[in-house]
Amino acid sequence: MAWDSETPAGEVRFVVVDSETTGLDPRKDGVVTIGGVAVRGGEILLEDSFSILVRQQYNSSAVTVHGVTRDESLAGVEEGEALARLREWLGDGVIVGHHIGHDIATFNTGFRKHFGITLGNLSLDTMDLTLHLEKDGAFGGEEAIRNFSLDALCTRFGVTPYDRHTAAGDAFLTALVFLRLLRIAQKCGRTTLGRLVEPFPHD
């Protein structure tokens, strides 16, 4: 379905996604791993999750950094097939992630290369949502947030950063943080999809 801006947040299928890439330039770097888990009705749906390893030439320090061995990398799925599976899993879900723009830009480079398309899904950056909530006064006074990194938000919300810096692990951690943000957003009157996906103006 096409989500309407007035759709209540609890009805939306959010798909929390993280990817590990061979570099920081989405125009030329490739995806190493992709992980994701769905959130709906205030719950993480473990049965609705996604994880895939993309085959890469084993000549990048980034592959080593992400803990992927040579044999694992060679046993991965070809990029085109991995992206096709990702698109099927995403469906019409609203893509959620911390600094999600980088992940989406990297995916779209691959989608353009293999299929001549880009993702049309709505997206929500947990960084932007946190900034909106701070502006709303949700973290006022001594509770104000000074550090908006995923690690800092995990600490703030009591989320143990287990399996950090893997795509599946970071997607799950982001989903836990996102659930906390959704509860706070509810109290601030951000109860519809449109109020949640508003981009925050960055200078």
Side-chain angles (χ1 to χ4, degrees):
M1 65 176 291
W3 303 109
D4 184 273
S5 63
E6 296 302 314
T7 302
E11 296 179 10
V12 178
R13 177 177 176 260
F14 295 100
V15 281
V16 186
V17 177
D18 186 81
S19 65
E20 305 293 343
T21 60
T22 59
L24 299 177
D25 187 344
R27 296 167 298 179
K28 65 179 183 180
D29 293 313
V31 177
V32 178
T33 58
I34 307 170
V37 64
V39 168
R40 192 166 195 169
E43 295 184 353
I44 294 174
L45 306 179
L46 293 178
E47 68 277 12
D48 187 0
S49 61
F50 182 85
S51 181
I52 202 161
L53 174 67
V54 182
R55 184 176 301 168
Q56 292 286 351
Q57 292 296 319
Y58 199 77
N59 60 0
S60 167
S61 61
V63 177
T64 305
V65 166
H66 299 317
V68 179
T69 68
R70 178 186 179 85
D71 288 344
E72 286 172 338
S73 181
L74 292 175
V77 175
E78 293 293 345
E79 183 181 70
E81 181 181 348
L83 290 174
R85 291 188 194 177
L86 172 66
R87 187 167 179 240
E88 181 179 6
W89 176 73
L90 291 174
D92 61 0
V94 176
I95 301 173
V96 175
H98 205 65
H99 299 298
I100 193 61
H102 176 267
D103 301 86
I104 292 175
T106 305
F107 296 153
N108 280 337
T109 295
F111 278 118
R112 279 190 293 266
K113 179 173 72 174
H114 293 285
F115 310 112
I117 62 170
T118 56
L119 288 170
N121 302 61
L122 288 173
S123 65
L124 185 161
D125 193 326
T126 49
M127 171 81 166
D128 282 1
L129 180 55
T130 305
L131 289 168
H132 274 303
L133 293 174
E134 169 143 82
K135 190 174 180 180
D136 290 345
F139 313 109
E142 294 181 0
E143 296 298 312
I145 294 179
R146 305 301 178 199
N147 185 336
F148 295 89
S149 69
L150 180 58
D151 285 320
L153 293 180
C154 283
T155 299
R156 180 180 186 86
F157 295 128
V159 174
T160 303
Y162 176 74
D163 205 19
R164 184 77 169 91
H165 299 300
T166 68
D170 283 358
F172 185 71
L173 292 176
T174 303
L176 290 172
V177 167
F178 181 50
L179 286 181
R180 270 58 165 196
L181 293 174
L182 283 176
R183 294 188 193 113
I184 296 168
Q186 182 86 16
K187 295 177 182 177
C188 292
R190 292 181 179 271
T191 60
T192 62
L193 179 59
R195 295 299 312 283
L196 292 175
V197 300
E198 291 176 12
F200 191 87
H202 296 275
D203 294 331

